[in-house]
Amino acid sequence: MTRRPLSAWNAARMAPAVLAVLLAQGCVSMAPPYERPALPVAATWSTPPPNETEAGLNAARLGWQSYFSDPTLQGLINEALANNRDLRQALLRVQEARALYGIQRADQFPTIGVQAAGSRSRTPADLNLTGRPVVANQYQAGVGMATWELDFWGRVHSLNDAALENYLASEEAARAVTLSLIAQVADSYLSLRELDERLALTRETIASREESLRIFRRRYEVGSISKLDLTQVETLWQQARALGAELEQARATQAHALELLVGKPLNLPPARAGLDDEAVMSDLPAGLPSDLLTQRPDIVAAEHQLRAANANIGAARAAFFPRITLTGAYGTASAELNGLFGSGSGAWNFAPSVDLPIFDAGRRSANLDLAEVRRDQAVASYEQTIQSAFKDVSDALSARRWLAEQVQVLRATVAAQSERARLAKLRYDHGASPYLEVLDAQRDLLAAQQALVQTRRALLSARVGLYGALGGGSQAPATPR
């Protein structure tokens, strides 16, 4: 039986079938199996939460709008989410990673394009065998496939996995920045309210001591008290004024810091009422340390980076095997433009190639070593992130417990100091003690009042810190932008 020669058309029709057979072989991943590292922390918190057995809200699923109930604070957080530049950069990095993933993902598919070209050339007579000048035309059009790698060893697939994991890590990193920003705004706002309350106490003290100074100055003028008593009263007044000026400066600095977080100028007048501890935010159960693996966005981001480093090992291993690439085109060609699509003008080319370096001075081995070292670095970074998260929660739990006790003690201290100041004033008015006792009692009372306000704010900041440390709001619906 006589075999017919393979025509160009039949060969072109067979090329897709050959590609399908090759692709059907699939690809083998060279990446090592991923295993999540063991939890490098204790199974329980060092400071046991008092209400851990009670049913409570999950911090990761509790949106900040539900957790922070103060209307002014909610408005500030909304402004910060819309205007903060650090958050804006983090979101742009997510878009950058998404674009890089799209570029890498495109390498899995062939690039096909339409090509058309035409040329006209003249060959001089002395360069032509016929001894006559020749003018030649060439026109061609067709569909071509650029160099496309058949991913038998999973190199392109591993690079695609790494790009995807990096993109997911950037998303989680942006969520971590968002959560950190919310916590920073809340803490900065609480600090501002603390200074407002301390300033209100100081202004009341200044006014009271100024009135006392006026009375004592009148008594001194009529000779009923000594110059020492008048000087002591004036000293007490000046000390209160100095504290007021110090707090005014601290409030201005804190307001500037809050403006930087919010990303726009603010006009927050001093609060008229004291800070209501129960009306600012809710309380949260801590859960278990293992819960942080799925709740904390920075831990999730670190694990995605670990997965990306693991996938890069697969790409580095696949480089030791041959790279098979395909290039081809099918179309029509003719020496005359009007014959470009005529009968018999079909043209095609199909060019597979195999590339395997024999000697590269250890480049591929070094690339594999680099990928493995970076994987080990990612493991260490992942474990360090977990340990830092565990410390954050432990610190917040410890602060919440002991600061609450300090607040109770300071409330009792303020009550005792108030009674002491009242009794010292009565003793002085009846001539039973010098004014120095009154001076000390009033100074200690003011210090206790200031300490109580500071500790109450610290307790609220500990609750904010616990919300952030537990990944608060990281699984809640995203804030509209």
Side-chain angles (χ1 to χ4, degrees), residues 108-299:
Q108 297 181 107
F109 307 96
T111 300
I112 300 176
V114 177
Q115 303 170 348
S119 65
R120 182 178 175 85
S121 63
R122 179 183 183 276
T123 304
D126 58 348
L127 295 180
N128 197 355
L129 295 177
T130 62
R132 297 178 181 179
V134 176
V135 176
N137 300 325
Q138 182 177 350
Y139 302 94
Q140 58 183 13
V143 177
M145 178 179 68
T147 302
W148 176 41
E149 178 179 350
L150 296 180
D151 195 25
F152 286 118
W153 323 115
R155 190 187 74 88
V156 177
H157 183 74
S158 293
L159 291 175
N160 180 66
D161 287 345
L164 175 60
E165 295 297 340
N166 284 326
Y167 162 53
L168 296 176
S170 69
E171 275 196 330
E172 294 299 332
R175 292 159 71 96
V177 172
T178 302
L179 178 57
S180 175
L181 176 62
I182 291 172
Q184 289 178 42
V185 171
D187 192 55
S188 183
Y189 172 72
L190 291 174
S191 297
L192 193 66
R193 293 296 305 274
E194 172 208 326
L195 291 168
D196 285 342
E197 191 166 351
R198 292 177 62 193
L199 266 170
L201 288 172
T202 304
R203 291 191 185 110
E204 291 177 2
T205 302
I206 292 173
S208 174
R209 292 179 182 179
E210 187 173 9
E211 178 63 17
S212 297
L213 178 60
R214 185 189 66 80
I215 295 173
F216 272 66
R217 185 176 288 121
R218 181 59 179 165
R219 290 180 180 179
Y220 173 72
E221 290 173 355
V222 299
S224 61
I225 62 171
S226 66
K227 182 66 178 287
L228 177 60
D229 289 341
L230 177 61
T231 303
Q232 289 174 337
V233 174
E234 185 175 2
T235 300
L236 204 61
W237 174 60
Q238 295 291 0
Q239 288 175 345
R241 292 182 61 197
L243 177 60
E246 178 184 342
L247 293 175
E248 290 283 5
Q249 178 189 1
R251 188 191 188 280
T253 302
Q254 187 61 44
H256 299 157
L258 185 57
E259 284 185 351
L260 180 63
L261 290 173
V262 173
K264 60 178 291 186
L266 297 175
N267 182 21
L268 287 177
R272 297 182 179 179
L275 193 61
D276 186 353
D277 298 6
E278 302 302 326
V280 178
M281 67 192 75
S282 311
D283 208 353
L284 288 172
L288 298 174
S290 58
D291 296 337
L292 296 180
L293 298 180
T294 57
Q295 293 180 5
R296 288 263 301 213
D298 55 342
I299 294 179

Side-chain angles (χ1 to χ4, degrees), residues 154-474:
R155 190 187 74 88
V156 177
H157 183 74
S158 293
L159 291 175
N160 180 66
D161 287 345
L164 175 60
E165 295 297 340
N166 284 326
Y167 162 53
L168 296 176
S170 69
E171 275 196 330
E172 294 299 332
R175 292 159 71 96
V177 172
T178 302
L179 178 57
S180 175
L181 176 62
I182 291 172
Q184 289 178 42
V185 171
D187 192 55
S188 183
Y189 172 72
L190 291 174
S191 297
L192 193 66
R193 293 296 305 274
E194 172 208 326
L195 291 168
D196 285 342
E197 191 166 351
R198 292 177 62 193
L199 266 170
L201 288 172
T202 304
R203 291 191 185 110
E204 291 177 2
T205 302
I206 292 173
S208 174
R209 292 179 182 179
E210 187 173 9
E211 178 63 17
S212 297
L213 178 60
R214 185 189 66 80
I215 295 173
F216 272 66
R217 185 176 288 121
R218 181 59 179 165
R219 290 180 180 179
Y220 173 72
E221 290 173 355
V222 299
S224 61
I225 62 171
S226 66
K227 182 66 178 287
L228 177 60
D229 289 341
L230 177 61
T231 303
Q232 289 174 337
V233 174
E234 185 175 2
T235 300
L236 204 61
W237 174 60
Q238 295 291 0
Q239 288 175 345
R241 292 182 61 197
L243 177 60
E246 178 184 342
L247 293 175
E248 290 283 5
Q249 178 189 1
R251 188 191 188 280
T253 302
Q254 187 61 44
H256 299 157
L258 185 57
E259 284 185 351
L260 180 63
L261 290 173
V262 173
K264 60 178 291 186
L266 297 175
N267 182 21
L268 287 177
R272 297 182 179 179
L275 193 61
D276 186 353
D277 298 6
E278 302 302 326
V280 178
M281 67 192 75
S282 311
D283 208 353
L284 288 172
L288 298 174
S290 58
D291 296 337
L292 296 180
L293 298 180
T294 57
Q295 293 180 5
R296 288 263 301 213
D298 55 342
I299 294 179
V300 179
E303 185 170 8
H304 281 305
Q305 290 170 347
L306 175 56
R307 289 178 179 272
N310 199 68
N312 282 327
I313 294 178
R317 288 177 175 176
F320 286 87
F321 295 85
R323 292 182 62 180
I324 303 175
T325 57
L326 301 179
T327 303
Y330 177 78
T332 178
S334 175
E336 299 295 336
L337 184 59
N338 57 6
L340 187 61
F341 297 100
S343 176
S345 63
W348 60 272
N349 68 75
F350 180 65
S353 66
V354 179
D355 178 24
L356 178 63
I358 298 177
F359 175 74
D360 61 1
R363 180 186 299 273
R364 287 171 295 168
S365 296
N367 280 333
L368 178 57
D369 292 342
L370 177 62
E372 291 176 343
V373 168
R374 285 179 174 172
R375 190 270 314 275
D376 295 340
Q377 289 177 341
V379 170
S381 177
Y382 175 72
E383 293 175 341
Q384 183 180 22
T385 303
I386 292 177
Q387 290 175 341
S388 297
F390 185 86
K391 176 183 178 298
D392 292 342
V393 178
S394 297
D395 288 347
L397 288 173
S398 176
R400 187 178 67 173
R401 174 181 177 181
W402 297 112
L403 285 171
E405 186 169 332
Q406 291 178 47
V407 167
Q408 294 179 357
V409 173
L410 284 170
R411 290 186 190 278
T413 302
V414 169
Q417 290 290 354
S418 298
E419 181 65 10
R420 175 193 170 197
R422 186 186 70 84
L423 295 176
K425 185 67 167 55
L426 285 176
R427 283 170 55 82
Y428 172 77
D429 290 342
H430 290 81
S433 65
Y435 192 75
L436 183 60
E437 288 188 10
V438 179
L439 182 71
D440 289 340
Q442 291 185 353
R443 185 186 296 115
D444 292 343
L445 173 60
L446 179 59
Q449 290 172 332
Q450 298 282 327
L452 175 59
V453 175
Q454 289 177 295
T455 308
R456 285 171 48 220
R457 193 277 307 162
L459 176 57
L460 292 175
S461 293
R463 292 181 180 176
V464 173
L466 182 60
Y467 177 74
L470 292 174
S474 60

Side-chain angles (χ1 to χ4, degrees), residues 3-75:
R3 287 190 173 182
R4 294 182 179 180
L6 182 65
S7 67
W9 173 251
N10 289 332
R13 286 193 302 174
M14 289 179 62
V18 173
L19 293 179
V21 172
L22 292 174
L23 292 177
Q25 304 300 319
C27 63
V28 179
S29 176
M30 297 292 176
Y34 174 76
E35 295 182 3
R36 175 184 285 178
L39 202 64
V41 292
T44 57
W45 307 112
S46 55
T47 303
N51 300 321
E52 190 60 36
T53 57
E54 298 180 6
L57 296 172
N58 185 297
R61 300 186 181 278
L62 179 62
W64 62 265
Q65 299 95 332
S66 301
Y67 185 68
F68 299 106
S69 52
D70 186 284
T72 303
L73 177 55
Q74 288 184 348

